[in-house]
């Protein structure tokens, strides 16, 4: 193909969250034209902090984001405690870079989102800056015209349409057909942030921040508290998970204002200093998140439309992989659609994207379920002991020990893997073409 025949694809992305922005950066750096449609009026990320596991931190570095320059910090310690404050185990995690090629980092979601947006739209970055349309709620897709349909009636046509519209995805039903909404998992989480300086100033709670870069989990069979720092070790992030049988409306906001007294009552049987720590949460800044789940979808792709991130595979927050897997999806999509891809080849390339990502994302998703809370506990499931996780689907992981799974998960490079898949695909395509010529 001559240079005059190479044309960029028009990429339309529904959703400008972390996954959508990652895909936008990867596509613009590949030489394509990108436009994102975001339903919110202001492009702000909600939530508190997030994990950048080694499988994700290497990818964002390739895209030009250096996490530690934007407040990201390395995990130095991983600790587990019982409800009575007894130490179950503690691991020195400072050497993960040597083991997994890239660092295991923690980052405020707002910092991460802002950094990705900056790269996506910056004029000085490689490729044409992505365009972002806010107050642009996508309500449907026209597969014949490859067009996104907005709530105001506008239609936008493109060569590739990506559904990065989250756990309550509109495009999911269009791609899969029928009602495939994510449902309550039976679990919810209180989330909030506290200044490390405030915790240090109190002799009762200073123990919780005695070590920097510490990820700590306080365990009970039916609830747990996950705590880790972010933003240059200045803030401490809390995720307090518990069983919750309530079935909230799907129309409600994802993060609801929470009742502080209710949170303290749910965790009242924990170590007294922990209760003192939780009591520091400002009443008006605690959010209650209903955790949604979804069995593995039969497909992520239809024609020139593909799902990614939580739209394809929502994650429970027990492995820190929701954002990481969305980032993997974004770079894999761009890898299988390099500059020079013809519009008529897009549908097959999106099927290849699904081949690259489906089994892996489903496996990690299942392990996350196994690590989740339940009335009977899940602590031994990764060691191959009996027990089947609720709503488990796809490839089984009960036979994979925890250490083996970490190797499988953290050492994966989604970009390299997708490029290798594309090379093999093109090689086989060329061989088929040559075989046909020989038969003529």
């Amino acid at each position: 193909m001559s240079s005059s025949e190479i044309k960029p694809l028009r990429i339309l992305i529904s959703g400008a969250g972390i996954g959508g922005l990652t895909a936008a950066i990867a596509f613009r750096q590949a030489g394509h034209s990108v436009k994102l449609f975001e339903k919110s009026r202001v492009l702000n990320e909600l939530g508190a902090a997030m994990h950048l596991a080694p499988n994700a931190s290497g990818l964002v570095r390739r895209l030009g984001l250096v996490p530690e320059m934007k407040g990201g910090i390395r995990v130095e310690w991983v600790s587990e405690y019982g409800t009575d404050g007894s130490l179950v185990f503690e691991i020195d995690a400072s050497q993960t870079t040597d083991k997994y090629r890239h660092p295991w980092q923690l980052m405020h979601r707002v910092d991460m989102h802002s950094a990705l947006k900056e790269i996506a739209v910056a004029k000085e970055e490689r490729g044409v800056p992505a365009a972002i349309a806010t107050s642009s709620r996508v309500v449907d897709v026209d597969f014949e015209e490859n067009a996104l349909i907005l709530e105001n009636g506008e239609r936008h046509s493109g060569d590739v349409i990506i559904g990065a519209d989250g756990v309550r995805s509109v495009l999911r039903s269009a791609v899969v057909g029928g009602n495939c909404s994510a449902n309550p998992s039976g679990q919810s989480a209180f989330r909030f942030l506290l200044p490390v300086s405030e915790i240090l100033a109190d002799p009762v709670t200073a123990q919780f921040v005695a070590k920097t870069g510490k990820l700590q989990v306080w365990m009970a069979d039916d609830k747990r508290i996950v705590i880790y720092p972010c933003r240059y070790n200045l803030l401490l992030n809390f995720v307090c998970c518990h069983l919750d049988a309530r079935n909230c409306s799907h129309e409600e906001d994802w993060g609801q204002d929470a009742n502080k007294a209710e949170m303290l009552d749910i965790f009242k049987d924990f170590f007294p200093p922990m209760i003192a720590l939780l009591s520091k949460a400002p009443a008006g800044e605690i959010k209650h998140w209903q955790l949604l789940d979804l069995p593995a979808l039969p497909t992520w792709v239809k024609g020139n439309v593909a799902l990614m991130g939580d739209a394809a595979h929502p994650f429970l927050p027990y492995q820190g992989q929701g954002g990481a897997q969305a980032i993997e999806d974004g770079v894999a999509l761009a890898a299988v659609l390099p500059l020079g891809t013809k519009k008529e080849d897009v549908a097959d390339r999106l099927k290849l994207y699904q081949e690259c990502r489906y089994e892996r994302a489903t496996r990690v998703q299942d392990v996350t379920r196994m690590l989740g809370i339940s009335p009977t506990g899940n602590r031994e499931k990764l060691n191959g002991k009996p027990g089947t996780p609720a709503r488990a689907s796809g490839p089984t992981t009960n036979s994979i020990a925890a250490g083996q799974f970490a190797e499988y998960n953290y050492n994966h490079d989604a970009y390299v893997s997708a490029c290798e898949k594309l090379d093999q695909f093109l090689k086989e395509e060329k061989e088929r073409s040559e075989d046909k010529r020989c038969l003529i």
Side-chain angles (χ1 to χ4, degrees):
M1 184 184 296
S2 66
S3 58
S4 60
E5 294 175 310
I6 296 176
K7 294 182 179 180
L9 294 170
R10 294 170 299 156
I11 313 290
L12 305 183
I13 302 175
S14 175
I18 285 171
L21 287 172
T22 298
I25 295 167
F27 276 124
R28 75 165 282 189
Q29 291 182 352
H32 299 303
S33 169
V34 185
K35 185 166 186 177
L36 301 100
F37 298 86
E38 172 56 40
K39 64 183 179 182
S40 63
R41 183 176 59 85
V42 181
L43 190 60
N44 285 335
E45 176 69 11
L46 299 175
M50 63 178 290
H51 288 252
L52 266 182
N55 53 304
S57 66
L59 297 178
V60 299
R61 288 169 189 278
R62 181 180 279 116
L63 296 177
L65 195 166
V66 182
E68 54 268 31
M69 300 294 289
K70 299 294 182 178
I73 60 173
R74 296 196 181 202
V75 177
E76 299 177 45
W77 300 93
V78 178
S79 307
E80 182 181 315
Y81 297 88
T83 56
D84 60 355
S86 59
L87 180 65
V88 178
F89 69 79
E90 186 164 76
I91 299 171
D92 181 349
S94 60
Q95 304 305 313
T96 53
T97 302
D98 297 333
K99 188 174 183 180
Y100 298 125
R101 293 187 290 184
H102 299 290
W104 180 7
Q105 294 176 288
L106 306 165
M107 198 165 179
H108 198 301
R109 292 187 72 90
V110 171
D111 297 340
M112 178 70 178
H113 188 261
S114 297
L116 289 172
K117 178 190 172 187
E118 197 175 290
I119 297 171
V121 303
K123 292 180 180 179
E124 62 272 17
E125 295 290 334
R126 188 167 77 252
V128 177
I132 304 176
T134 55
S135 299
S136 300
R137 183 184 293 271
V138 174
V139 295
D140 205 352
V141 59
D142 184 326
F143 290 95
E144 290 187 6
E145 295 185 7
N146 288 322
L148 282 177
I149 303 170
L150 304 188
E151 189 175 42
N152 63 8
E154 289 182 9
R155 300 170 68 91
H156 296 264
S157 297
D159 301 317
V160 184
I161 293 176
I162 305 299
D165 49 346
V167 69
R168 290 189 170 94
S169 171
V170 170
L171 294 192
R172 186 193 298 135
S173 294
V175 168
V176 179
N179 181 12
C180 50
S181 299
N183 295 307
S185 65
Q187 304 164 46
S188 289
F190 296 97
R191 304 192 72 164
F192 59 92
L193 292 156
L194 286 176
V196 169
S197 59
E198 181 181 338
I199 299 167
L200 272 173
D202 185 343
V204 175
T205 59
Q207 60 184 294
F208 295 103
V209 288
K211 292 181 178 179
T212 59
K214 183 174 177 177
L215 168 64
Q216 47 190 306
V217 184
W218 292 70
M219 295 281 291
D221 281 345
D222 62 346
K223 66 194 76 161
R224 74 183 56 167
I225 300 170
V226 181
I227 306 172
Y228 55 90
C230 63
R231 193 170 283 173
Y232 302 108
N233 268 307
L234 297 176
L235 293 173
L236 204 60
N237 179 68
F238 292 76
V239 185
C240 307
C241 302
H242 64 99
L243 297 176
D244 187 355
R246 290 173 292 185
N247 188 353
C248 299
S249 167
H250 281 200
E251 298 303 317
E252 292 182 2
D253 289 339
W254 178 229
Q256 300 293 304
D257 289 334
N259 184 306
K260 180 176 178 177
E262 179 187 9
M263 179 184 74
L264 293 176
D265 183 63
I266 288 172
F267 294 94
K268 64 185 177 184
D269 54 343
F270 276 65
F271 187 45
M274 173 59 74
I275 301 304
L277 181 61
L278 297 181
S279 298
K280 293 182 181 294
E285 297 179 17
I286 307 170
K287 297 296 182 181
H288 196 225
W289 297 57
Q290 186 184 48
L291 305 179
L292 303 181
D293 198 6
L294 182 71
L297 297 173
T299 184
W300 298 351
V301 173
K302 181 178 179 181
N304 286 28
V305 182
L307 304 174
M308 67 168 292
D310 281 353
H313 44 70
F315 276 76
L316 298 175
Y318 299 118
Q319 186 76 6
Q321 280 293 309
Q325 293 301 311
I327 290 167
E328 288 193 8
D329 289 347
V331 297
L333 276 163
V336 300
L337 291 163
L339 187 63
T341 302
K342 297 178 181 177
K343 183 177 178 180
E344 55 266 31
D345 294 333
V346 167
D348 285 339
R349 296 296 181 85
L350 291 181
K351 291 177 183 176
L352 181 62
Y353 151 72
Q354 179 169 302
E355 287 181 24
C356 292
R357 297 289 306 136
Y358 187 91
E359 182 178 353
R360 172 172 165 78
T362 302
R363 176 171 292 182
V364 177
Q365 192 180 34
D366 279 350
V367 169
T368 299
R369 292 190 184 99
M370 291 178 191
L371 294 175
I373 55 175
S374 77
T376 56
N378 289 299
R379 293 167 59 83
E380 305 301 331
K381 285 179 181 173
L382 276 184
N383 292 324
K385 296 189 178 182
T388 302
R391 295 187 176 89
S393 53
T396 180
T397 50
N398 280 4
S399 61
I400 303 177
Q404 291 175 309
F405 182 74
E407 292 285 340
Y408 163 80
N409 192 15
Y410 295 153
N411 272 328
H412 183 74
D413 188 315
Y415 175 77
V416 171
S417 178
C419 288
E420 290 173 349
K421 286 269 192 182
L422 177 61
D423 287 344
Q424 183 63 29
F425 175 87
L426 294 175
K427 179 181 177 182
E428 292 173 357
E429 190 178 61
K430 182 179 179 182
E431 290 173 351
R432 287 193 297 270
S433 178
E434 291 174 349
D435 288 344
K436 285 183 181 178
R437 284 201 296 269
C438 291
L439 291 173
I440 296 175

